[in-house]
Amino acid sequence: MESETTDRPAVLLVEDEPDLAAMARDYLVRDGFQVLPAVDVRAGLRLLESAHVDLVVLDLGLPDGNGLDLLRTLRGRDNPMPVIVVTGRGEEADRVVGLELGADDYLVKPYSQRELAARIRAVLRRSTATPPATTAIRIGGLVIDTGAREVRRAGTPIALTPREYGLVEFLASAPGQVFSREQLLDNVWGSSSRWQAATTVDEHVYRVRRKLLAAGVTEPRITTVRGFGYRLDL
Ligand code: CA
């Protein structure tokens, strides 16, 4: 283990606004985290190489580039490091790209420090949860491999982000049952509509549908139940 002085989770905080960075750092340190501050993409990457990091909080608007570049570099190395992206208002496009690149969660400025800490805890909890025993759920033309966390059609994996996979797996746990957005946020995101916009669910459903169709999967499909939520249908 890299550090024997503390078992506090180490958060790499990539944020260029000094006031925001200081506020977040103070709160998180008081709340039991170790904080490694970085003011730009380059400093963030350097710390990722040299220090032990458990989670990255990543502002996207940085002086030497877009935080998405850092996320891309991480995911390009197949690095499962949990990442929470932070965007300003009016940067929805970046947020969506961030989620597609595999960000685990996002926050829109201005956010409360308490919310930041709660999101970090939730993401860390999920990423360190004991993996479930390996089983494969067969449903329609799909095999959902819960060990590999992979969805395959005719032996070929469909490229889903971890969250998209979680959504499919959860819906497939009870085909035909309708789940509300709130239930999906709770079970798939480990969050609630207090923290996370319910439209996040819609965005993910939209992308999963697109990917399943692109892979030639017509069944199962995710059906919208107007006024209630979603269900997986055969
Ligand atoms: Ca910024």
Side-chain angles (χ1 to χ4, degrees):
M1 293 276 103
E2 283 86 338
S3 168
E4 56 175 15
T5 55
T6 174
D7 54 3
R8 293 165 159 242
V11 175
L12 171 60
L13 177 68
V14 187
E15 170 60 67
D16 61 308
E17 289 171 52
D19 291 353
L20 271 183
M23 254 190 325
R25 191 184 55 222
D26 290 353
Y27 188 94
L28 291 176
V29 166
R30 272 205 312 275
D31 211 32
F33 297 95
Q34 248 185 298
V35 176
L36 306 162
V39 294
D40 53 25
V41 174
R42 204 167 28 174
L45 284 171
R46 204 163 43 225
L47 278 167
L48 280 166
E49 300 288 348
S50 61
H52 171 76
V53 174
D54 292 305
L55 177 144
V56 183
V57 175
L58 182 60
D59 179 33
L60 294 188
L62 294 166
D64 63 342
N66 192 310
L68 291 172
D69 298 335
L70 194 152
L71 183 57
R72 238 178 237 118
T73 304
L74 266 182
R75 294 303 184 240
R77 295 175 192 165
D78 234 0
N79 190 325
M81 171 84 58
V83 176
I84 299 177
V85 298
V86 176
T87 59
R89 247 182 300 191
E91 291 174 346
E92 283 83 7
D94 275 355
R95 173 165 56 80
V96 170
V97 175
L99 292 171
E100 291 209 307
L101 286 175
D104 297 85
D105 204 350
Y106 68 87
L107 279 165
V108 179
K109 291 179 184 177
Y111 55 82
S112 79
Q113 303 308 321
R114 202 174 145 206
E115 179 173 1
L116 172 64
R119 295 286 189 90
I120 291 174
R121 286 214 165 75
V123 168
L124 284 175
R125 234 181 356 251
R126 286 199 303 272
S127 68
T128 57
T130 319
T134 302
T135 49
I137 305 167
R138 275 163 213 284
I139 179 163
L142 291 183
V143 170
I144 301 168
D145 183 335
T146 62
R149 295 184 63 77
E150 189 174 83
V151 174
R152 294 189 292 267
R153 178 183 182 267
T156 306
I158 298 173
L160 300 178
T161 67
R163 192 78 70 203
E164 290 163 0
Y165 169 82
L167 183 62
V168 172
E169 188 197 302
F170 183 73
L171 287 170
S173 68
Q177 185 177 325
V178 184
F179 293 101
S180 68
R181 290 173 179 79
E182 184 67 37
Q183 283 172 314
L184 292 171
L185 282 175
D186 183 29
N187 286 284
V188 180
W189 276 258
S191 186
S192 87
S193 55
R194 268 196 308 152
W195 303 122
Q196 188 109 36
T199 50
T200 303
V201 176
D202 305 334
E203 287 166 11
H204 279 75
V205 167
Y206 171 75
R207 284 203 300 271
V208 168
R209 276 181 182 147
R210 225 175 33 184
K211 289 184 178 180
L212 292 183
L213 276 179
V217 179
T218 49
E219 287 190 328
R221 62 184 176 279
I222 303 176
T223 305
T224 305
V225 183
R226 202 174 286 274
F228 290 97
Y230 296 102
R231 69 166 186 248
L232 199 69
D233 277 331
L234 270 175

Short mmCIF file of all heavy atoms in Angstrom, two decimals, residues 15-17 59-63 109, ligand 1:
data_model
loop_
_atom_site.label_atom_id
_atom_site.label_comp_id
_atom_site.label_asym_id
_atom_site.label_seq_id
_atom_site.Cartn_x
_atom_site.Cartn_y
_atom_site.Cartn_z
N GLU A 15 -9.07 21.56 -10.23
CA GLU A 15 -9.92 22.75 -10.23
C GLU A 15 -9.00 23.97 -10.30
O GLU A 15 -8.10 24.11 -9.50
CB GLU A 15 -10.77 22.77 -8.96
CG GLU A 15 -11.53 24.04 -8.70
CD GLU A 15 -12.52 24.37 -9.80
OE1 GLU A 15 -13.50 23.64 -9.97
OE2 GLU A 15 -12.27 25.37 -10.54
N ASP A 16 -9.28 24.85 -11.27
CA ASP A 16 -8.36 25.98 -11.45
C ASP A 16 -8.81 27.23 -10.72
O ASP A 16 -8.04 28.17 -10.57
CB ASP A 16 -8.19 26.28 -12.94
CG ASP A 16 -9.51 26.66 -13.59
OD1 ASP A 16 -10.48 25.89 -13.44
OD2 ASP A 16 -9.58 27.72 -14.24
N GLU A 17 -10.07 27.28 -10.26
CA GLU A 17 -10.51 28.48 -9.55
C GLU A 17 -10.06 28.38 -8.09
O GLU A 17 -10.53 27.50 -7.37
CB GLU A 17 -12.03 28.62 -9.65
CG GLU A 17 -12.48 29.01 -11.06
CD GLU A 17 -13.99 28.93 -11.22
OE1 GLU A 17 -14.70 29.53 -10.40
OE2 GLU A 17 -14.43 28.25 -12.16
N ASP A 59 -12.82 19.29 -12.83
CA ASP A 59 -13.43 20.44 -13.49
C ASP A 59 -13.11 20.33 -14.97
O ASP A 59 -12.01 19.94 -15.34
CB ASP A 59 -12.83 21.72 -12.90
CG ASP A 59 -13.41 22.98 -13.54
OD1 ASP A 59 -14.60 22.96 -13.91
OD2 ASP A 59 -12.66 23.97 -13.66
N LEU A 60 -14.08 20.65 -15.83
CA LEU A 60 -13.82 20.48 -17.27
C LEU A 60 -13.19 21.71 -17.90
O LEU A 60 -12.46 21.61 -18.87
CB LEU A 60 -15.11 20.08 -18.00
CG LEU A 60 -15.67 18.71 -17.61
CD1 LEU A 60 -16.83 18.33 -18.52
CD2 LEU A 60 -14.61 17.62 -17.65
N GLY A 61 -13.49 22.90 -17.35
CA GLY A 61 -12.91 24.11 -17.92
C GLY A 61 -11.58 24.44 -17.26
O GLY A 61 -11.54 25.04 -16.19
N LEU A 62 -10.48 24.03 -17.88
CA LEU A 62 -9.16 24.21 -17.27
C LEU A 62 -8.29 25.07 -18.18
O LEU A 62 -8.49 25.11 -19.40
CB LEU A 62 -8.51 22.84 -17.04
CG LEU A 62 -9.24 21.99 -15.99
CD1 LEU A 62 -8.77 20.55 -16.03
CD2 LEU A 62 -9.05 22.57 -14.59
N PRO A 63 -7.31 25.75 -17.59
CA PRO A 63 -6.54 26.72 -18.38
C PRO A 63 -5.75 26.09 -19.52
O PRO A 63 -5.56 26.73 -20.55
CB PRO A 63 -5.59 27.36 -17.35
CG PRO A 63 -5.76 26.61 -16.09
CD PRO A 63 -6.98 25.78 -16.17
N LYS A 109 -21.84 23.36 -11.34
CA LYS A 109 -21.57 24.49 -10.47
C LYS A 109 -22.75 25.45 -10.46
O LYS A 109 -23.35 25.64 -11.51
CB LYS A 109 -20.32 25.24 -10.97
CG LYS A 109 -19.04 24.49 -10.82
CD LYS A 109 -17.89 25.34 -11.38
CE LYS A 109 -16.59 24.56 -11.33
NZ LYS A 109 -15.47 25.31 -11.93
CA CA B 1 -12.60 26.05 -14.36
#
